[in-house]
């Protein structure tokens, strides 16, 4: 730990953003003025409908340079899985204004990232031309040259080492048509299941959790459930910053129904925690103990829904199906008294929360990365679902286990299209011979084309690249050079392989490793469908031309397919044609959205699947009457499972996470802040965001800081078993004692 006098300098903005682009700081975080956190808190207390989004708009409206709107067009925000509907105000110069669409599910609300979308496409540093690495330097090349180099490298690797020597690494931020095409090209064209991407780092455990519980992925409920719930159980998520309009909707619910209780379970005192009624701060990684202890309290206190459990639930133990007694025996290890020491929450409080969860007229749970990213992420997801099943807090308005999806199109684009290494479209599995045969038939490729074993998932892919086993990788719309875990180790993979990066902005960490860089069109510079957290598909129309020679990712994929001689497999070549193929394909599954024509998507503020025909209004809630797969005679029907019963998985807690020890006494927790998006390649180029947010830093509890002798603003070196990083330390009371927090938008720190 070193004391640095110029530490405050580092928190000030480096003006890399040209003057002309700057519309001045939205607010600064100098000690004299309100700090960022105080500002956010003050805005929240004032009850701004859309907290900072609202104020940001107020402040920014006057300074927006573009002028008068000539035409308002319906669209969707490009960033997060909330999937806010927006109105884009266009004029001759491009996007003049963006407003929340009052008719969309977000009822006109937006967060600051959405409000500042007018500055995104023209942000400095857009990639305009392809580039090829020559003697260590990236130099401009024609599309023809770049694509023929990519093709020859892929072709050679496939011929010499087989199809598994190439891979696709994608994103939950591409359009559905794009990811679907990449998946088909690699799995059914090239014949490798090496298709994965950033959703693996994000919500893969939620997808597996839903599938294990209900037989099908994706939530049963919808955002509208927020308007009916009495208890909100928010765990491992910070929606006040990461899904802000949803959190505002929760607060709105509380203001019209004051009995509403918001419970937040997070080892940090986040903005969500501050605005909740109850905040429980568990030791990181101990949530499974907490959830099973809640189940124990529910069973012990007879707070379960006996009829629902008897008729609609099955229990799966380590050795096969068990009955209710099996659950009781399993829970013996999880009395609140037995777990309280390890979780750091008193038994009485565990019982209190359990009874609130079970004994409300409707309980809605919301969770994200605090559960999904853990080593026991799948067990945490199945256990969240289990709490809802045991208590019957499901399949009624306001009662539902809702995993919050991170990216705009992780659900629709990646989970639903089956674009992960183990999946095929619409809930099918690579391992299942029938599923493979069905997809080969639907895709009109020879039997046996789809390999029977799952491909490499994100982490194993980068390891295999490092060993030289995977030779060529196409990376689209993700920045793994900054977002992968254990980066020092996996960077070797990007270094060693022939690494192709398609991105919209220059100089990302991934581009440093790239052999070929392809400039991509961004958001409304192309057309396609996004599917957000509640099974809602929405169309984004093309409103702008991409800069320079940038191309839509779909065009890049179609071009690659043709050059590889697979133009017959990728026969749909435009976004609308791909959508039509894909929409029709869905009729062979329980995802059926064949009724969502392009024309209907153009007209509606999104539609929720299932939506089996062109008159169908879409399905807000699954597994109950109204869902086209549930016969009217049944009150509940979990049709994803052969016996129609949802499954409670009795997965025991295992202490697999690396705990703190004498050598490494603290836990580092990483995540997000409201204004910045992930690796900052987009938002950190938007002047008011860059000027208004501090540079990368650590947050530490003042107790730990005092013990170690660190003062606010000191420069510190943080070391783990995997790497080290130097940065400014902010002394706060936000993280739990014994933990540190850092957001990951700033690659420099
Ligand atoms: N502003 C903004 N919004 C975003 C994004 C963004 O980059 N910026 N990204 C989007 C994406 S892709 C995603 S995945 C989501 C993520 O949405 P969130 O998961 O809500 O975001 P994180 O900041 O990762 O917050 C995770 C929370 O989990 C807590 N946590 C950590 N460990 C534990 C634990 O062991 N137990 C519990 N109970 N909690 C724990 C952390 O303290 C943190 O507050 O956000 C989406 N929305
Ligand atoms: N430490 C830490 N690491 C994490 C997480 C964490 O909580 N902590 N969270 C993980 C999670 S949940 C996620 S989702 C990932 C996110 O990780 P990434 O996906 O790597 O992060 P992004 O910054 O969203 O990267 C998207 C990239 O695509 C580019 N881009 C934007 N639009 C387009 C387009 O239309 N086409 C193309 N080709 N490119 C485009 C952007 O400029 C950007 O470089 O990070 C993971 N990594
Ligand atoms: S909450 Fe998400 S979708 Fe809505 S405006 Fe903000 S970033 Fe965009
Ligand atoms: Mo994510």
């Amino acid at each position: 730990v070193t004391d640095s006098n110029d530490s405050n300098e580092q928190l000030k903005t480096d003006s890399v953003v040209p003057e002309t682009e700057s519309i001045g700081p939205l607010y600064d975080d100098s000690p004299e003025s309100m700090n960022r956190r105080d500002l956010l808190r003050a805005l929240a207390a004032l009850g701004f409908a859309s907290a900072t989004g609202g104020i940001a708009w107020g402040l920014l409206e006057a300074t927006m340079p573009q002028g008068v709107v000539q035409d308002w067009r319906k669209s969707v925000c490009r960033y997060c899985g909330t999937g806010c509907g927006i109105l884009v105000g266009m004029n001759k110069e491009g996007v003049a204004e963006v407003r929340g669409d009052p008719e969309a599910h977000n009822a006109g609300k937006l967060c600051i990232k959405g409000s500042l979308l007018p500055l995104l496409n023209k942000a400095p540093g857009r990639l305009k031309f392809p580039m090829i690495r020559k003697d260590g330097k990236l130099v401009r090349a024609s599309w023809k040259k770049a694509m023929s180099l990519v093709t020859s490298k892929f072709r050679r690797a496939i011929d010499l080492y087989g199809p598994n020597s190439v891979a696709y690494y994608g994103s939950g931020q591409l359009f559905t048509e794009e990811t679907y095409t990449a998946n088909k090209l690699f799995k059914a064209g090239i014949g490798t299941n090496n298709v994965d991407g950033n959703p693996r780092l994000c919500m893969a455990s939620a997808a597996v959790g839903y599938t294990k519980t209900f037989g099908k992925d994706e939530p049963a409920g919808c955002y509208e459930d927020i308007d009916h719930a009495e208890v909100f159980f928010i765990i491992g998520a910070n929606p006040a910053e990461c899904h802000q309009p949803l959190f505002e909707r929760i607060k709105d619910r509380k203001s019209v129904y004051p009995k509403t209780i918001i419970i937040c379970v997070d080892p940090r005192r986040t903005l969500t925690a501050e605005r909740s009624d109850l905040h429980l701060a568990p030791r990181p990684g101990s949530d499974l103990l907490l959830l099973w202890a809640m189940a124990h309290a529910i069973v012990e206190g007879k707070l379960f829904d006996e009829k629902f459990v008897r008729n609609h639930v099955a229990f799966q133990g380590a050795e096969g199906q068990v009955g209710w007694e099996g659950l009781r025996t399993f829970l013996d290890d999880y009395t609140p008294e037995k777990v309280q020491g390890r979780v750091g929450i008193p038994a009485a409080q565990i019982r209190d929360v359990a009874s609130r969860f079970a004994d409300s007229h409707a309980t809605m749970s919301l969770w994200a990365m605090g559960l999904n990213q853990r080593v026991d992420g799948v067990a945490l997801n199945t256990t969240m679902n289990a709490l809802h099943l045991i208590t019957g807090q499901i399949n009624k308005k306001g009662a539902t286990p809702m995993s919050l999806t991170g990216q705009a199109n992780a659900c629709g684009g990646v989970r639903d299209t089956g674009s992960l290494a183990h999946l095929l479209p619409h809930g099918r599995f690579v391992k299942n011979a029938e599923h493979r045969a069905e997809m080969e038939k639907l895709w009109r490729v020879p039997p046996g084309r789809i390999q029977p074993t799952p491909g490499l998932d994100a982490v194993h892919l980068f390891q295999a690249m490092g060993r030289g086993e995977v030779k060529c990788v196409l990376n689209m719309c993700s920045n793994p050079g900054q977002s992968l875990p254990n980066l020092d180790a996996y960077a070797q993979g990007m270094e060693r392989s022939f690494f192709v990066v398609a991105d919209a902005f220059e100089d990302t960490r991934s581009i440093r490793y790239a052999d070929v860089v392809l400039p991509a069109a961004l958001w409304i510079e192309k057309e396609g469908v996004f599917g957000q957290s509640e099974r809602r598909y929405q169309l984004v129309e093309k409103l702008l031309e991409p800069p320079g020679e940038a191309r839509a990712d779909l065009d890049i994929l179609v071009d690659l397919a043709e050059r590889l001689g697979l133009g017959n497999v990728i026969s749909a070549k435009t976004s609308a044609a791909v959508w039509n193929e894909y929409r029709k394909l869905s009729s062979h599954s329980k995802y059926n959205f064949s009724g969502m024509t392009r024309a209907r998507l153009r007209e509606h503020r999104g539609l929720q699947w299932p939506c089996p025909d062109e008159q169908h209004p879409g399905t807000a809630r699954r597994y109950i009457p109204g869902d086209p797969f549930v016969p009217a005679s049944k009150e509940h029907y979990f049709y994803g499972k052969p016996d129609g019963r949802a499954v409670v998985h009795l997965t025991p807690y295992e202490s697999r996470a690396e705990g703190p020890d004498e050598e490494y006494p603290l836990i580092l927790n990483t995540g997000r802040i409201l204004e910045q998006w992930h690796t900052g390649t987009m938002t950190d180029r938007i002047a008011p965001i860059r000027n208004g947010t501090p540079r990368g830093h650590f947050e530490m509890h003042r107790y730990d800081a005092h013990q170690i002798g660190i003062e606010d603003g000191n420069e510190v070196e943080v070391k783990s078993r995997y790497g080290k990083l130097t940065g400014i330390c902010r002394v706060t009371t936000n993280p739990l004692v014994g933990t540190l927090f850092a957001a990951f938008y700033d690659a420099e720190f």
Side-chain angles (χ1 to χ4, degrees):
V1 174
T2 58
D3 191 297
S4 159
N5 286 330
D6 57 4
S7 58
N8 275 329
E9 273 310 308
Q10 310 229 1
L11 284 169
K12 284 185 200 144
T13 311
D14 323 328
S15 333
V16 297
V17 187
E19 282 282 39
T20 48
E21 295 287 337
S22 175
I23 60 172
L26 178 55
Y27 42 82
D28 74 55
D29 65 332
S30 62
E32 309 81 62
S33 82
M34 255 187 191
N35 69 28
R36 173 183 175 266
R37 197 174 174 80
D38 288 340
L39 177 82
L40 295 180
R41 200 184 291 150
L43 292 169
L46 284 170
F48 270 92
S50 179
T52 48
I55 188 80
W57 189 249
L59 287 175
L60 290 168
E61 205 163 23
T63 45
M64 277 287 176
Q66 290 87 345
V68 189
V69 170
Q70 288 162 344
D71 187 16
W72 287 100
R73 304 292 289 269
K74 175 172 86 73
S75 190
V76 187
C77 173
R78 89 137 319 280
Y79 294 110
C80 93
T82 306
C84 293
I86 58 177
L87 295 170
V88 183
M90 303 290 300
N91 65 19
K92 273 194 238 98
E93 274 114 85
V95 184
E97 223 181 288
V98 163
R99 296 211 161 159
D101 183 347
E103 286 177 44
H105 64 83
N106 49 306
K109 289 174 189 163
L110 292 183
C111 81
I112 188 165
K113 294 182 293 308
S115 303
L116 291 173
L117 277 168
L119 302 180
L120 175 63
N121 295 71
K122 52 183 79 150
R126 285 296 302 269
L127 281 169
K128 295 190 179 109
F129 310 99
M131 289 187 288
I132 291 177
R133 194 171 295 279
K134 274 214 177 104
D135 306 323
K137 278 215 169 94
L138 285 169
V139 293
R140 185 173 164 180
S142 67
W143 270 104
K144 198 170 154 213
K145 205 156 178 208
M147 287 308 289
S148 45
L149 176 63
V150 173
T151 312
S152 68
K153 289 282 186 183
F154 269 71
R155 187 75 275 162
R156 201 177 131 81
I158 296 165
D159 290 347
L160 284 177
Y161 308 101
N164 289 339
S165 65
V166 303
Y168 170 81
Y169 188 79
S171 172
Q173 298 166 57
L174 287 174
F175 288 135
T176 305
E177 295 85 340
E178 297 173 326
T179 301
Y180 169 81
T181 298
N183 195 32
K184 188 180 180 191
L185 172 61
F186 278 73
K187 287 181 184 158
I190 295 170
T192 177
N193 293 323
N194 287 344
V195 173
D196 222 71
N198 61 17
R200 183 70 69 182
L201 314 176
C202 180
M203 22 48 65
S205 33
V208 179
Y210 277 134
T211 308
K212 284 183 79 168
T213 304
F214 303 108
K216 292 282 163 223
D217 186 19
E218 302 294 0
C222 58
Y223 296 160
E224 201 241 339
D225 283 314
I226 294 172
D227 308 338
H228 304 278
E230 178 176 319
V231 169
F232 293 93
F233 186 70
I234 302 172
I235 178 166
N238 182 14
E241 299 204 52
C242 295
H243 297 87
Q244 198 200 21
L246 295 182
F247 191 70
E248 297 307 324
R249 194 162 175 174
I250 292 172
K251 294 297 285 183
D252 288 349
R253 169 64 181 158
K254 190 170 168 79
S255 66
V256 297
Y257 186 73
K259 263 178 76 183
T260 303
I261 296 286
I262 307 169
I263 301 164
C264 174
V265 185
D266 195 307
R268 278 195 305 148
R269 192 150 179 89
T270 59
L271 206 60
T272 305
E274 274 178 21
R275 299 181 66 199
S276 295
D277 299 297
L278 286 174
H279 175 208
L280 281 62
R283 298 235 155 82
S286 68
D287 301 77
L288 196 57
L289 290 169
L290 170 69
L291 298 181
W292 283 132
M294 285 171 64
H296 186 282
I298 286 161
V299 171
E300 172 196 59
K302 298 198 170 49
L303 292 162
F304 49 89
D305 185 337
E306 201 183 333
K307 185 169 159 236
F308 187 85
V309 170
R310 198 179 332 111
N311 293 328
H312 307 291
V313 181
F315 294 92
Q316 182 75 30
E319 259 119 57
Q321 276 219 356
V322 296
W324 183 252
E325 277 314 306
L327 171 71
R328 278 181 171 275
T329 316
F330 172 82
L331 291 176
D332 281 347
D333 289 339
Y334 302 97
T335 67
E337 280 72 19
K338 279 185 190 164
V339 309
Q340 61 182 350
R342 283 173 288 167
V343 179
I345 296 170
Q349 196 170 20
I350 297 176
R351 287 202 174 83
D352 172 60
V353 166
S355 71
R356 290 176 190 274
F357 185 104
D359 202 13
S360 85
H361 79 245
T363 295
M364 182 166 184
S365 299
L366 303 114
W367 68 92
M369 291 308 114
L371 298 193
N372 290 352
Q373 284 176 343
R374 308 221 65 100
V375 283
D376 50 2
V378 171
L380 286 161
N381 273 273
T382 52
T383 310
M384 277 312 307
N385 296 335
L387 282 178
H388 283 265
L389 290 169
I390 294 168
T391 53
Q393 290 288 4
I394 190 166
N395 289 9
K396 54 183 182 182
K397 280 189 177 182
T400 198
M402 170 70 81
S403 137
L404 290 167
T405 294
Q407 301 171 83
N409 204 23
C411 283
V414 178
R415 283 155 71 167
D416 300 354
T417 64
S419 300
L420 290 170
H422 66 294
L423 293 177
L424 291 168
H426 306 136
R428 294 179 182 85
F429 294 97
V430 159
K431 271 196 197 154
N432 184 315
E434 262 175 56
H435 291 176
R436 286 197 308 277
E438 207 181 347
M439 282 317 303
E440 285 161 350
K441 217 174 125 198
L442 291 167
W443 274 341
R444 300 202 187 98
V445 295
R449 174 65 63 84
I450 301 175
Q451 288 195 36
T453 43
L456 295 164
D457 61 68
V459 163
H460 289 102
L461 170 64
F462 284 88
Q463 288 171 355
M465 286 154 70
R467 289 192 303 268
E469 289 160 21
V470 172
K471 313 277 180 195
C472 296
V473 179
L474 173 59
N475 163 43
M476 283 186 147
C477 200
S478 177
N479 184 11
Q482 189 174 335
S483 61
L484 280 178
N486 199 4
L487 196 49
D488 288 349
Y490 301 156
Q492 289 162 21
M494 288 177 266
E495 196 90 69
R496 187 158 178 194
S497 61
F498 180 77
F499 194 53
V500 184
V501 174
D503 203 295
F505 288 98
E506 59 190 30
D507 199 29
T508 68
R509 283 294 162 117
S510 303
I511 287 176
R512 293 189 183 180
Y513 303 104
D515 297 286
V516 175
V517 177
L518 303 174
L522 173 74
W523 183 44
I524 51 173
E525 294 161 2
K526 54 182 181 175
E527 169 183 316
V529 174
F530 275 159
Q532 39 79 301
S533 284
E534 49 161 5
R535 290 172 285 104
R536 184 187 300 277
Y537 289 171
Q538 306 180 97
L539 181 67
V540 176
E541 298 205 64
K542 181 171 171 178
L543 302 175
L544 290 176
E545 283 308 319
E549 295 177 6
R551 277 191 194 172
D553 297 270
L554 181 64
D555 297 339
I556 299 173
L557 289 161
V558 168
D559 188 3
L560 179 64
E562 280 167 356
R563 287 170 188 271
L564 287 170
L566 295 165
N568 57 334
V569 179
I570 303 304
S571 49
K573 299 184 200 288
T574 63
S575 182
V578 178
W579 178 257
N580 247 351
E581 169 182 322
Y582 177 57
R583 163 177 78 85
K584 287 180 187 154
L585 195 80
S586 74
S587 66
H588 302 271
S589 76
K590 292 279 194 296
Y591 284 58
N592 199 346
F593 49 86
S594 52
M596 292 190 199
T597 59
R598 215 62 168 186
R600 287 190 81 198
L601 287 175
R602 204 156 270 136
E603 182 189 334
H604 292 272
R605 262 63 185 174
L607 285 163
Q608 288 170 286
W609 60 265
C611 178
D613 60 67
E614 291 181 27
Q615 278 69 47
H616 198 281
T619 306
R621 294 177 184 82
R622 285 158 108 192
Y623 309 130
I624 51 174
D627 177 334
F629 296 109
V630 176
S633 60
K634 286 194 197 276
E635 223 183 319
H636 307 273
Y637 181 33
F638 296 107
Y639 50 78
K641 291 287 183 186
D643 59 359
R645 285 169 178 271
V647 179
V648 167
H649 289 270
L650 304 178
T651 315
Y653 170 81
E654 284 173 57
S655 182
R656 284 175 301 181
E658 288 168 25
D661 57 22
E662 267 180 36
E663 210 184 343
Y664 295 101
L666 301 169
I667 296 174
L668 174 64
N669 172 6
T670 63
R672 297 151 171 83
I673 65 167
L674 174 67
E675 302 92 320
Q676 293 275 10
W677 178 255
H678 291 161
T679 66
T681 57
M682 295 179 277
T683 44
D684 214 27
R685 292 176 198 274
I686 293 174
I689 292 183
R690 190 183 167 94
N691 296 341
T693 49
R695 296 296 81 207
H697 64 279
F698 297 100
E699 288 175 15
M700 182 185 256
H701 194 280
R702 65 180 182 206
Y703 179 87
D704 292 322
H706 185 74
Q707 297 300 305
I708 308 171
I710 292 171
E711 279 172 30
D712 187 52
N714 282 174
E715 190 174 75
V716 297
E717 183 183 78
V718 174
K719 242 167 102 176
S720 80
R721 293 179 180 87
Y722 304 95
K724 61 181 180 190
L725 194 60
T726 304
I728 298 300
C729 190
R730 286 276 156 222
V731 176
T732 70
T733 49
N734 298 346
L736 198 65
V737 174
T739 67
L740 277 171
F741 179 79
F744 71 109
Y745 57 85
D746 188 359
E748 297 299 333
F749 250 64

